[in-house]
Amino acid sequence: MVILGIDPALTITGYGVIEVHQRRIALIEAGVVKTSPRQVLTQRLSTIHAAISKLIHDTHPEVMVLEKLFSHYRHPTTAFLLGQARGVICLCCASAKIPLVEYAATRVKKTIVGKGLAAKSQVQRMVAITLGLHTVPRYTDVTDALALAIAHSHISRACIARGKEFSAYKR
């Protein structure tokens, strides 16, 4: 199974594509999509759309995984901007007819590290260990995207092992 994890943002969107064979997880591609705050919003969204569409076309993922939107009540504008970036990414997913799965950050951390309130550095280390990377990715956005994909591989495998249909595909 090929899984695309995306950590959406307006300035730096991280992505990670992994391939899962039984219990072995291999890194296919990972990186970031950057936009400049000097660009108008529509251009930034267009850049994200084009990059994610190309990524989907090039890697043929079977599922896309996003982090559930979390926003602090003190920063509503940030939530609105992030929501627009997420919307563009969801559009790419729908256009390619790929199932979309979302997880809360705490669920991803619990799956990867064993603690829902794990530090970013712990998640980074476990992602590097799981994928056999010699160095941790430069951007935490990439690590977060890879963590989403890895967590989905574990969660979906656990559901199948219990004889349950994975409910996220029912959306």
Side-chain angles (χ1 to χ4, degrees):
M1 176 187 293
V2 177
I3 303 169
L4 168 58
I6 299 183
D7 181 29
L10 197 54
T11 303
I12 299 176
T13 292
Y15 67 85
V17 184
I18 61 170
E19 187 168 17
V20 181
H21 289 288
Q22 295 173 6
R23 294 203 177 270
R24 196 171 45 92
I25 300 174
L27 175 64
I28 294 176
E29 182 178 342
V32 294
V33 177
K34 291 183 181 181
T35 66
S36 171
R38 289 185 223 116
Q39 294 175 301
V40 295
L41 179 62
T42 53
Q43 182 59 46
R44 296 173 81 179
L45 295 173
S46 178
T47 298
I48 293 168
H49 181 269
I52 299 301
S53 293
K54 182 176 182 341
L55 180 65
I56 290 170
H57 179 267
D58 292 349
T59 61
H60 306 287
E62 296 169 51
V63 63
M64 181 188 291
V65 188
L66 291 176
E67 186 173 293
K68 281 189 179 175
L69 183 60
F70 172 80
S71 65
H72 196 278
Y73 69 91
R74 290 184 182 157
H75 306 286
T77 304
T78 302
F80 289 132
L81 293 173
L82 177 58
Q84 291 181 55
R86 284 176 52 84
V88 166
I89 293 166
C90 290
L91 175 63
C92 293
C93 184
S95 296
K97 297 179 177 42
I98 301 169
L100 174 66
V101 181
E102 296 178 281
Y103 296 114
T106 52
R107 179 142 191 222
V108 172
K109 290 176 181 181
K110 179 141 178 99
T111 303
I112 299 292
V113 179
K115 293 187 328 185
L117 298 176
K120 280 218 185 257
S121 61
Q122 291 173 300
V123 174
Q124 287 178 302
R125 261 194 319 274
M126 287 307 294
V127 165
I129 289 167
T130 301
L131 297 174
L133 304 176
H134 299 292
T135 59
V136 173
R138 178 178 171 201
Y139 294 98
T140 57
D141 310 273
V142 172
T143 307
D144 291 348
L146 288 168
L148 284 159
I150 294 166
H152 177 70
S153 74
H154 294 315
I155 292 166
S156 62
R157 187 179 321 128
C159 286
I160 292 167
R162 287 189 214 117
K164 296 180 181 177
E165 182 180 336
F166 187 68
S167 62
Y169 293 138
K170 293 181 185 176
R171 293 181 196 200

